Amino acid sequence: MKLWCCLCFTEEEQDTLNLMKEEDISENDVVPGVGAAAVADHHADDNRDDDRFAMTPVQPRAEALVSWTGECSAAACSDSTVAGSVESRDLSHKRAKFYADFEERYFSTNAGKCSASNEYGDYDFINDSLRTNGETFCDTFALMGGGEESGFDSSIVEDGEGDNSDILKVEDVEVRMDLTDDLLHMVFSFLDHPNLCKAARVCKQWRSASAHEDFWKSLNFEDRNISVEQFEDMCRRYPNATAVSISGSAIYLLVMRAISSLRNLEVLTLGRGQIADTFFHALADCSMLKKLNINDSTLGNGIQEITINHDRLCHLQLTKCRVMRIAVRCPQLETMSLKRSNMAQVVLNCPLLHELDIGSCHKLPDAAIRAAATSCPQLVSLDMSNCSCVSDETLREIALSCASLSFLDASYCPNISLESVRLPMLTVLKLHSCEGITSASMAAIAHSDMLEVLELDNCSLLTSVSLDLPRLQTIRLVHCRKFADLNLRTMMLSNILVSNCPALHRINITSNSLQKLPLQKQESLTTLALQCQSLQEVDLSECESLTNSICDVFNDVGGCPMLKSLVLANCESLTSVRFFSTSLVSLSLADCRAITTLELTCPNLEKVILDGCDHLERASFCPVGLRSLNLGICPKLNILSIEATAMVSLELKGCGVLSEASVNCPLLTSLDASFCSQLTNECLSATTASCPMIESLILMSCSSIGLDGLCSLQRLPNLTLLDLSYTFLVNLQPVFESCTQLKVLKLQACKYLTDSSLEPLYKRGALPALQELDLSYATLCQSAIEELLSCCTHLTHVNLTGCANMHDLNWGCSRGHIAGVNVLSITSSYENVHELSEQPTRLLQNLNCVGCLNIRKVFIPLTAHCSCLLFLNLSLSTNLKEVDVACLNLSWLNLSNCYSLEVLKLDCTRLTSLFLQSCNIDEEAVETAISKCTMLETLDVRFCPKISSMSMGRLRAACPSLKRIFSSLSAS
């Protein structure tokens, strides 16, 4: 296998490469151990080089490239002859050759060694504690220095620790990479410093490229154990570095070397150490410095004043530092942070400072804060959070001195109330947990016409907010225990958060930008007024005190003309809900248990949730855009009116007291009115007249439906499913005459049907499309059932569960029709054989005779023409003694709990499942029966007293296809 990494070249470069191939490839290029075969193969492939170099240029992923070179590094520079040949070439067209075995067999047998080779040469240039092949930190950078003077020996790469020599053992695989210096420079620009060190181990070209100063502009020594000598060596090697990061115990010595050696230093980051005051004196010598960050350090000896004087410094950050006093004189300083620093005095002489952060400087007195802030007239942003000593007087002085102040964070300042404070240019104001902020403070805030963000979380004494701010966009009111009244008039308000305000009872909002209003769990909210032209979503979940007047807010004239989603879940005080909205799309009234009346005039309403509205008595949906509606969860619903031009499914299952229903849904295809015992013939007639597309009609237990109601079914030409179970119907003639497309007819427990009620089915061929017939628990006589099964050959599913008059199922044939005649009476004359062959094939697929207590014998011979029968269920027929079935396609037979079963004869070659649970049949009869079932997989003989656990082997021998036998005595 050959893996080529090729690039696109210009015509001039291509000519040079062709010349190189002709002049340079010789036997001396062969790596020891590769052999002449690889060289010959190399020359043979030269004729195809044009095609290789015409391929799409490779755009290597830098990380993957370095990971791969970690495995190939030993082979890259192992032969000194190769290295000499490479050095003699033009650097701009230098080619590094790699030979490696990529066969899967090699990787599978040498996984541990390959893993080791990945680590080969993997050393961190800034970690003194990490050693590679015994090299020290200084050796590492000597390796990257480039040139022979670095003392780099290629044998280091070849020999290593002596464990990776297998990498050189290659036979017939060549990997060639043609990389110019410019391309290497581009690839290496994506690598971090540790990976650059890995790349330096590959070859001299890569070592030289990875050491380029463009990649070492920023030197990071944070959390690194590095000596002063090593650091000095780095500074000498990269004198043009612009950023240095240092932390640790030796921070002072290192930083002094940095500022004395790196004259182009622009960013200096220090942390977790002690910095003497001499550093700040020498800082001025670092003339290019623009940003200084010091974190978690002690400045000076902790008692004297530290002075920072620099002409070009723009950004200063002293975070969590320990110093008694600090003076900053930086004429170009723009941002400064003293956050969480422990100091008692700060003096600023920074005329251009526009961002100051003194948050959590607990020891700074009020006067020091005032002096520092007022000395910066260009201040735009001020963070004084957690400065508990700040007073209103300081804020007034700051307001007068800093006319451009737009950001103020005074959170956790308990002594401020903003009285007489005017901040007209303020855009962001944060006042979290300010105990002095009350409703009177709003008068001062109201003068901030430019205010965009206002945060008042945990202001425990705040009782009301009334603001008219034209630019306010965001307001937060969280955990304000006494807050009761919110009045906002701001056209640009787009984000509001009001949460855990237990006393809030009134909200009035006017805005043209607000689109979403979440007000969950406002338990005391009773009054809500909204004038929000763009509002689309409102969530008032668990606002238990809301009254019926809330409906007026969300009507078309209520001030929210664009409202689409409204959630009123668990609003337990609502009793009568009326909405007239042309924009409302989704409405949730879940668990509003007190609602008794619902009127929705929302033509675009597509979703309504009424779960838990179990006291709803009157409902009107006129008009709505619903496609489906389930009112079965409203058991007390009495009067219903629906007008929905798009509705296709309506479920009224369980509305037991529904007496008046007006349903005008011209596209309705499914109506389930199960257990609507009060539904009258008039309601059914009106519904069929207005919903002519109904295909499925379920009237189970609709005891008030009679002959007049059935007559209205003639208006439903597409009716395919009709369920009249548990009704008192006697005459089904209207069904037989008008429902010509009916496919499913369910007549469960219709005990008033007589023996002649179904005569049109088997005597006059009524309902020719009928496929499924359910006569469970019917009182039809045996002869009617026999005639039905004999003549209705088009039926595919017949359910006779619990039919007490169902006797022997004997399908022996005599004179061309099925009857309960002993099969022995059938002659074998030519005429009878011909007559049998003329009988139509039955389409019956599923026959269910569960719990037919009077069945004693089941006889279904091949002459019964039941070739389509797939499922036969005779379980719980306790008097059944003999079963003789010959159905070639039968796949599932259930005889469980047929306690009297003694004879079992089966000629069912495709039977896969046989259930004989709790049958009194002996094992010989079972063995004989299953011997002809060549595809039987599952046999259930649990609780069969005459079948022992020792018989499982015999049963498996009788039917080799068996996969599972269920036995109560042993699991097989």
Side-chain angles (χ1 to χ4, degrees):
M1 182 188 83
K2 295 182 182 295
L3 178 63
W4 296 88
C5 179
C6 302
L7 306 171
C8 285
F9 294 86
T10 64
E11 293 181 0
E12 181 181 355
E13 292 173 332
Q14 183 64 54
D15 294 336
T16 304
L17 287 170
N18 293 335
L19 181 62
M20 290 168 57
K21 287 189 294 183
E22 295 173 1
E23 296 178 355
D24 295 338
I25 298 178
S26 64
E27 294 181 358
N28 292 332
D29 288 329
V30 181
V31 174
V34 174
V39 177
D41 182 53
H42 169 78
H43 285 291
D45 288 338
D46 280 347
N47 294 329
R48 294 189 299 272
D49 277 351
D50 291 340
D51 294 335
R52 294 192 190 105
F53 286 101
M55 296 168 60
T56 302
V58 177
Q59 298 178 358
R61 294 179 59 183
E63 295 291 347
L65 180 61
V66 171
S67 176
W68 176 81
T69 57
E71 298 179 3
C72 301
S73 59
C77 300
S78 61
D79 189 78
S80 59
T81 304
V82 176
S85 176
V86 171
E87 289 177 351
S88 65
R89 299 174 185 173
D90 184 0
L91 289 177
S92 63
H93 300 290
K94 179 162 33 176
R95 171 185 296 172
K97 291 189 175 65
F98 300 92
Y99 299 88
D101 188 358
F102 286 91
E103 294 293 338
E104 294 182 1
R105 175 169 51 83
Y106 174 82
F107 283 110
S108 62
T109 58
N110 297 279
K113 295 180 180 180
C114 290
S115 178
S117 68
N118 282 330
E119 298 298 331
Y120 191 82
D122 182 10
Y123 57 95
D124 194 334
F125 79 103
I126 47 181
N127 192 344
D128 187 35
S129 62
L130 186 59
R131 300 289 191 268
T132 303
N133 300 328
E135 296 180 31
T136 65
F137 183 90
C138 292
D139 294 334
T140 295
F141 286 98
L143 173 66
M144 299 183 59
E148 296 297 331
E149 67 276 11
S150 65
F152 172 70
D153 187 359
S154 63
S155 63
I156 295 176
V157 181
E158 180 178 355
D159 297 333
E161 296 178 356
D163 296 332
N164 298 319
S165 58
D166 287 344
I167 298 177
L168 299 178
K169 296 178 180 180
V170 295
E171 296 180 358
D172 59 349
V173 176
E174 178 182 357
V175 178
R176 178 181 300 170
M177 297 186 67
D178 295 277
L179 301 176
T180 64
D181 288 342
D182 291 339
L183 178 59
L184 278 178
H185 193 88
M186 181 184 69
V187 172
F188 287 177
S189 66
F190 294 98
L191 298 182
D192 56 13
H193 290 168
N195 281 316
L196 282 170
C197 289
K198 293 179 184 178
R201 302 298 303 244
V202 175
C203 63
K204 289 183 178 180
Q205 181 196 15
W206 285 38
R207 183 183 68 212
S208 177
S210 61
H212 197 282
E213 65 176 358
D214 287 352
F215 307 140
W216 301 92
K217 292 290 187 181
S218 176
L219 304 179
N220 188 343
F221 298 97
E222 292 184 356
D223 301 318
R224 305 292 180 179
N225 186 12
I226 180 173
S227 67
V228 176
E229 293 77 12
Q230 293 168 344
F231 183 78
E232 288 179 340
D233 181 66
M234 280 298 297
C235 292
R236 286 194 302 272
R237 198 169 295 280
Y238 299 105
N240 294 322
T242 59
V244 173
S245 299
I246 310 172
S247 65
S249 57
I251 181 176
Y252 173 68
L253 296 176
L254 299 180
V255 72
M256 294 303 292
R257 299 296 191 279
I259 61 178
S260 62
S261 303
L262 305 176
R263 294 302 180 181
N264 295 322
L265 196 61
E266 297 179 1
V267 180
L268 181 59
T269 302
L270 310 174
R272 293 191 297 281
Q274 184 168 3
I275 305 174
D277 57 347
T278 54
F279 162 75
F280 298 99
H281 296 318
L283 194 62
D285 297 334
C286 196
S287 59
M288 303 299 292
L289 191 66
K290 294 183 179 180
K291 185 174 183 179
L292 175 62
N293 299 329
I294 304 179
N295 177 51
D296 194 14
S297 300
T298 299
L299 310 183
N301 58 12
I303 59 174
Q304 82 271 30
E305 180 178 283
I306 295 298
T307 300
I308 301 177
N309 190 351
H310 199 283
D311 292 338
R312 292 195 177 186
L313 193 65
C314 296
H315 307 282
L316 175 62
Q317 182 173 325
L318 305 177
T319 306
K320 203 178 178 181
C321 290
R322 294 166 292 281
V323 61
M324 182 61 67
R325 295 179 298 276
I326 186 170
V328 182
R329 297 180 180 88
C330 301
Q332 300 296 324
L333 194 65
E334 298 177 0
T335 66
M336 180 178 180
S337 174
L338 303 174
K339 200 174 190 69
R340 301 179 65 187
S341 292
N342 188 1
M343 62 188 69
Q345 185 68 34
V346 58
V347 177
L348 301 182
N349 185 1
C350 309
L352 298 182
L353 189 69
H354 64 260
E355 183 176 328
L356 177 61
D357 185 353
I358 53 175
S360 300
C361 293
H362 300 290
K363 289 190 176 182
L364 273 181
D366 187 33
I369 295 174
R370 185 187 315 157
T374 55
S375 65
C376 305
Q378 302 296 323
L379 202 61
V380 174
S381 173
L382 175 61
D383 185 345
M384 56 174 60
S385 58
N386 277 290
C387 294
S388 56
C389 58
V390 175
S391 64
D392 283 336
E393 183 181 355
T394 295
L395 288 179
R396 283 192 290 270
E397 292 291 334
I398 293 174
L400 293 175
S401 302
C402 306
S404 301
L405 188 66
S406 62
F407 178 95
L408 175 62
D409 188 348
S411 301
Y412 300 94
C413 296
N415 297 324
I416 64 172
S417 64
L418 297 183
E419 293 183 7
S420 303
V421 178
R422 299 291 182 266
L423 296 165
M425 301 302 294
L426 207 60
T427 59
V428 178
L429 177 60
K430 297 183 179 182
L431 299 171
H432 297 193
S433 300
C434 293
E435 297 178 0
I437 297 299
T438 63
S439 300
S441 304
M442 297 302 108
I445 296 176
H447 286 84
S448 301
D449 293 335
M450 306 295 291
L451 194 63
E452 297 177 0
V453 178
L454 176 61
E455 298 182 3
L456 299 169
D457 296 0
N458 289 289
C459 293
S460 57
L461 298 181
L462 185 64
T463 58
S464 64
V465 172
S466 181
L467 295 172
D468 187 353
L469 297 172
R471 295 178 178 268
L472 187 64
Q473 299 176 15
T474 300
I475 186 170
R476 285 175 54 99
L477 291 158
V478 180
H479 292 290
C480 298
R481 293 182 288 108
K482 296 184 178 182
F483 183 61
D485 190 358
L486 175 62
N487 188 353
L488 295 175
R489 182 178 179 83
T490 166
M491 295 297 103
M492 298 187 67
L493 184 68
S494 59
N495 188 12
I496 180 172
L497 178 59
V498 180
S499 177
N500 291 292
C501 300
L504 182 62
H505 64 83
R506 181 177 179 273
I507 295 178
N508 188 348
I509 300 176
T510 301
S511 170
N512 287 337
S513 302
L514 188 64
Q515 295 186 0
K516 188 174 182 179
L517 180 61
L519 295 172
Q520 304 95 328
K521 298 183 179 180
Q522 303 302 324
E523 300 174 358
S524 301
L525 183 63
T526 57
T527 303
L528 180 64
L530 300 175
Q531 290 295 326
C532 302
Q533 301 300 312
S534 300
L535 189 62
Q536 297 184 15
E537 299 180 28
V538 177
D539 189 346
L540 296 169
S541 301
E542 300 183 51
C543 295
E544 300 175 356
S545 300
L546 282 178
T547 62
N548 297 333
S549 60
I550 192 65
C551 300
D552 298 332
V553 178
F554 303 111
N555 287 330
D556 279 344
V557 295
C560 304
M562 301 295 292
L563 186 66
K564 293 182 178 180
S565 174
L566 176 61
V567 179
L568 296 171
N570 284 286
C571 295
E572 298 183 356
S573 296
L574 297 178
T575 58
S576 179
V577 175
R578 293 177 172 85
F579 288 117
F580 305 91
S581 173
T582 56
S583 62
L584 194 63
V585 175
S586 175
L587 173 65
S588 175
L589 297 170
D591 296 312
C592 294
R593 302 186 184 280
I595 294 180
T596 59
T597 302
L598 175 63
E599 295 183 15
L600 300 178
T601 304
C602 307
N604 293 309
L605 185 66
E606 298 177 358
K607 181 180 180 181
V608 60
I609 300 176
L610 299 172
D611 298 356
C613 297
D614 46 18
H615 287 78
L616 185 63
E617 298 178 359
R618 301 169 61 93
S620 173
F621 303 85
C622 300
V624 291
L626 298 171
R627 289 184 55 84
S628 63
L629 179 62
N630 182 5
L631 294 174
I633 51 181
C634 305
K636 295 186 177 181
L637 186 64
N638 182 28
I639 300 176
L640 172 65
S641 178
I642 300 177
E643 181 180 337
T645 56
M647 185 174 292
V648 296
S649 175
L650 175 61
E651 185 170 336
L652 303 173
K653 186 177 182 179
C655 298
V657 297
L658 183 64
S659 58
E660 297 182 23
S662 174
V663 181
N664 184 9
C665 305
L667 298 182
L668 190 69
T669 59
S670 176
L671 174 60
D672 187 348
S674 303
F675 303 103
C676 294
S677 56
Q678 303 298 320
L679 195 66
T680 62
N681 292 327
E682 291 76 11
C683 292
L684 180 60
S685 298
T687 300
T688 57
S690 58
C691 308
M693 304 297 292
I694 291 179
E695 298 176 2
S696 173
L697 180 60
I698 301 177
L699 299 173
M700 178 187 294
S701 295
C702 293
S703 53
S704 298
I705 298 297
L707 186 61
D708 293 340
L710 293 184
C711 291
S712 65
L713 299 182
Q714 62 183 347
R715 303 191 185 100
L716 305 178
N718 299 322
L719 188 65
T720 57
L721 186 151
L722 178 62
D723 190 345
L724 298 173
S725 303
Y726 296 93
T727 58
F728 301 144
L729 294 171
V730 177
N731 188 353
L732 299 177
Q733 191 62 34
V735 176
F736 298 140
E737 292 178 353
S738 57
C739 302
T740 57
Q741 301 298 320
L742 197 64
K743 295 181 179 180
V744 180
L745 178 60
K746 297 185 178 182
L747 300 171
Q748 297 180 35
C750 292
K751 299 183 180 298
Y752 291 91
L753 291 178
T754 63
D755 295 340
S756 60
S757 297
L758 298 180
E759 283 186 358
L761 283 179
Y762 54 82
K763 287 187 176 181
R764 294 191 292 274
L767 305 181
L770 190 66
Q771 298 178 358
E772 299 183 24
L773 178 62
D774 191 343
L775 294 172
S776 302
Y777 306 103
T779 57
L780 299 179
C781 65
Q782 171 72 8
S783 60
I785 295 175
E786 288 181 350
E787 292 290 343
L788 187 68
L789 294 175
S790 173
C791 298
C792 297
T793 58
H794 55 283
L795 293 177
T796 60
H797 293 69
V798 177
N799 192 348
L800 299 172
T801 296
C803 290
N805 295 328
M806 180 69 181
H807 294 283
D808 294 355
L809 187 62
N810 190 338
W811 286 1
C813 298
S814 177
R815 292 184 178 89
H817 72 277
I818 298 175
V821 180
N822 194 322
V823 72
L824 297 178
S825 63
I826 301 177
T827 64
S828 58
S829 64
Y830 173 80
E831 291 79 5
N832 284 335
V833 173
H834 180 71
E835 184 179 0
L836 292 176
S837 64
E838 296 295 329
Q839 293 187 41
T841 300
R842 297 172 177 274
L843 300 180
L844 187 63
Q845 300 176 11
N846 191 320
L847 179 60
N848 197 340
C849 298
V850 177
C852 294
L853 303 181
N854 292 320
I855 294 183
R856 289 176 173 80
K857 179 179 179 180
V858 174
F859 179 49
I860 305 178
L862 291 174
T863 54
H865 295 276
C866 293
S867 60
C868 296
L869 188 61
L870 302 176
F871 301 92
L872 178 60
N873 193 347
L874 298 165
S875 60
L876 293 172
S877 298
T878 55
N879 293 316
L880 182 61
K881 291 185 177 182
E882 181 179 350
V883 174
D884 186 352
V885 177
C887 296
L888 300 181
N889 291 314
L890 187 68
S891 63
W892 192 87
L893 176 60
N894 190 353
L895 298 171
S896 298
N897 297 290
C898 295
Y899 309 121
S900 303
L901 185 64
E902 297 176 354
V903 178
L904 179 60
K905 298 179 181 180
L906 298 177
D907 186 6
C908 306
T909 55
R910 296 189 179 181
L911 187 67
T912 59
S913 300
L914 176 61
F915 300 91
L916 298 172
Q917 188 179 31
S918 300
C919 290
N920 200 30
I921 192 170
D922 57 36
E923 58 189 43
E924 293 183 1
V926 175
E927 182 180 353
T928 303
I930 66 175
S931 61
K932 294 184 179 181
C933 302
T934 56
M935 298 180 67
L936 188 64
E937 296 180 355
T938 301
L939 176 64
D940 188 350
V941 291
R942 286 175 291 181
F943 310 110
C944 293
K946 294 183 179 181
I947 300 178
S948 65
S949 59
M950 304 300 294
S951 305
M952 300 300 108
R954 294 179 54 187
L955 296 178
R956 289 187 181 277
C959 185
S961 62
L962 272 175
K963 295 181 180 179
R964 294 171 295 275
I965 300 180
F966 296 98
S967 172
S968 57
L969 300 177
S970 65
S972 318

